[in-house]
Amino acid sequence: MEYYLVKWKGWPDSTNTWEPLQNLKCPLLLQQFSNDKHNYLSQVKKGKAITLDNNKALKPAIAEYIVKKAKQRIALQRWQDELNRRKNHTGMIFVENTVDLEGPPSDFYYINEYKPTPGISLVNEATFGCSCTDCFFEKCCPAEAGVLLAYNKNQQIKIPPGTPIYECNSRCQCGPDCPNRIVQKGTQYSLCIFRTSNGCGWGVKTLVKIKRMSFVMEYVGEVITSEEAERRGQLYDNKGITYLFDLDYESDEFTVDAARYGNVSHFVNHSCDPNLQVFNVFIDNLDTRLPRIALFSTRTINAGEELTFDYQMKGSGDISSDSIDYGPAKKRVRTVCKCGAVTCRGYLN
């Protein structure tokens, strides 16, 4: 008869018991146990046929892996619950790791908007707003700023990359259903933070189909000075990471650092052939030195497809020739790109 070592929820390990299969009423956990055992054996004995004697106890290495996998699953579920408690947008966040034993990041804090560092002031209150009854047809906030309304009637962006988006703000008399309020409503799609199998760490995939030219998410993090970005960039280089995004719409005074504080965009990987495009957005804060960064789909993105953007893409829509000064990826060491795109440049920077 097969016996299973059971950890009872809410009880310490000292109360664990061995139970026969007939006592277990947890088909999902038993299926996960079987899957974890199969996955471990597949990883260890790739390319070799292997049989397991069911009359013998599991080898310690297999048992250790199954326990670690179970603990990881619990930790990722708790992290997923925390992310969904902290987010303020409609779309749900899911977490998935079927690749390795990596758990939640230990030094990452979820935020929904820019977090200014000491000495930087974000004035999130517009000084004027529109009085339109229909912002789609009247002279609205974009016209006052000298640009075109960014969206069509299907809530898709219609302006070229490099053109700023001016949305209606808190002083406008239009309501929440105004066609010029898109980015401020947050992510509408359910997304999954998942562990990639190509060595790129965590990534983000959509769980639903996204129409082309649609708003997907904002890039948020700490707002720091360019001088501080240079200092942090040196540290990040040594770790082989990059989360620095220059706010260079009009000047190069500030940078967004999403290394420790950020949202789902923290986990979006680079691609030389991305499906997301960067746009500068102004809503309540009209300081042109501090645009919000929005990511829009460049094409239809199918459910299950990974989301990516070009780390060298500037808010102007151009590719930076010197990422140290202009690109989101403030890197000083050349990092090999693993995006796999046909047009891959070979390096992230």
Side-chain angles (χ1 to χ4, degrees):
M1 181 180 292
E2 284 188 336
Y3 283 83
Y4 294 81
L5 183 62
V6 176
K7 167 72 170 69
W8 297 99
K9 189 174 182 179
W11 291 86
D13 289 346
S14 59
T15 62
N16 292 356
T17 59
W18 287 93
E19 302 289 340
L21 183 61
Q22 65 193 42
N23 288 1
L24 303 180
K25 310 300 180 185
C26 47
L28 178 58
L29 287 177
L30 286 169
Q31 184 61 52
Q32 289 175 340
F33 176 93
S34 177
N35 291 343
D36 291 343
K37 180 174 70 173
H38 173 75
N39 290 339
Y40 176 84
L41 295 174
S42 298
Q43 292 172 17
V44 172
K45 300 291 184 180
K46 279 184 179 177
K48 296 181 180 178
I50 119 173
T51 58
L52 193 67
D53 187 348
N54 289 326
N55 295 321
K56 295 183 178 180
L58 286 179
K59 292 182 179 180
I62 303 177
E64 181 182 7
Y65 174 83
I66 291 174
V67 170
K68 286 183 177 179
K69 197 66 183 175
K71 290 182 177 179
Q72 177 206 48
R73 192 175 289 113
I74 293 171
L76 292 179
Q77 181 63 52
R78 288 175 177 168
W79 184 42
Q80 176 179 298
D81 293 343
E82 179 187 353
L83 295 177
N84 283 290
R85 282 195 302 269
R86 292 182 178 276
K87 69 159 177 81
N88 64 0
H89 53 75
T90 303
M92 294 295 292
I93 303 173
F94 295 86
V95 179
E96 172 186 289
N97 185 352
T98 60
V99 174
D100 55 30
L101 292 171
E102 187 73 18
S106 59
D107 193 27
F108 174 74
Y109 307 92
Y110 193 96
I111 57 176
N112 293 292
E113 57 188 21
Y114 284 162
K115 177 182 173 62
T117 50
I120 297 178
S121 175
L122 297 182
V123 181
N124 286 317
E125 184 177 351
T127 54
F128 62 89
C130 74
S131 55
C132 305
T133 54
D134 189 338
C135 295
F136 201 78
F137 294 103
E138 298 179 44
K139 187 177 181 181
C140 191
C141 300
E144 293 292 341
V147 297
L148 296 174
L149 181 71
Y151 311 112
N152 62 23
K153 291 184 177 180
N154 295 320
Q155 301 184 340
Q156 296 167 294
I157 195 162
K158 64 179 184 180
I159 58 175
T163 307
I165 299 171
Y166 278 83
E167 290 196 357
C168 290
N169 57 60
S170 57
R171 287 189 175 268
C172 294
Q173 296 180 22
C174 53
D177 295 328
C178 167
N180 194 34
R181 297 182 185 270
I182 302 297
V183 172
Q184 60 195 265
K185 290 183 179 179
T187 299
Q188 303 296 302
Y189 306 102
S190 290
L191 305 175
C192 179
I193 300 170
F194 74 106
R195 197 69 176 169
T196 63
S197 58
N198 61 353
C200 291
W202 295 103
V204 179
K205 61 184 176 182
T206 177
L207 299 180
V208 295
K209 184 177 180 179
I210 299 176
K211 295 188 299 183
R212 64 185 298 270
M213 313 308 283
S214 297
F215 169 66
V216 179
M217 69 180 78
E218 275 193 78
Y219 192 92
V220 303
E222 290 182 278
V223 179
I224 60 178
T225 63
S226 295
E227 291 76 18
E228 174 64 11
E230 287 294 324
R231 188 190 71 82
R232 294 189 185 187
Q234 298 284 354
L235 299 176
Y236 296 160
D237 286 345
N238 296 330
K239 298 179 180 180
I241 61 174
T242 173
Y243 296 102
L244 298 174
F245 198 125
D246 287 350
L247 298 179
D248 56 1
Y249 169 66
E250 189 171 87
S251 63
D252 194 17
E253 294 182 46
F254 302 108
T255 295
V256 176
D257 181 6
R260 296 185 66 213
Y261 297 90
N263 61 4
V264 176
S265 65
H266 166 98
F267 302 97
V268 175
N269 281 317
H270 162 86
S271 175
C272 297
D273 183 22
N275 50 25
L276 299 178
Q277 170 69 49
V278 174
F279 282 86
N280 292 299
V281 186
F282 298 96
I283 306 176
D284 279 315
N285 187 344
L286 301 178
D287 187 341
T288 53
R289 300 172 304 165
L290 294 163
R292 289 164 68 164
I293 302 300
L295 299 173
F296 285 76
S297 57
T298 60
R299 56 173 175 78
T300 298
I301 306 175
N302 295 316
E305 191 173 346
E306 183 175 3
L307 302 175
T308 58
F309 73 97
D310 191 331
Y311 285 7
Q312 289 193 45
M313 186 65 67
K314 299 195 293 179
S316 64
D318 299 327
I319 296 294
S320 169
S321 59
D322 185 352
S323 61
I324 294 178
D325 290 334
Y326 301 106
K330 274 180 172 284
K331 303 279 285 182
R332 295 153 189 80
V333 179
R334 302 218 76 182
T335 303
V336 175
C337 179
K338 300 177 182 178
C339 75
V342 175
T343 56
C344 181
R345 297 190 294 268
Y347 295 92
L348 265 67
N349 56 332

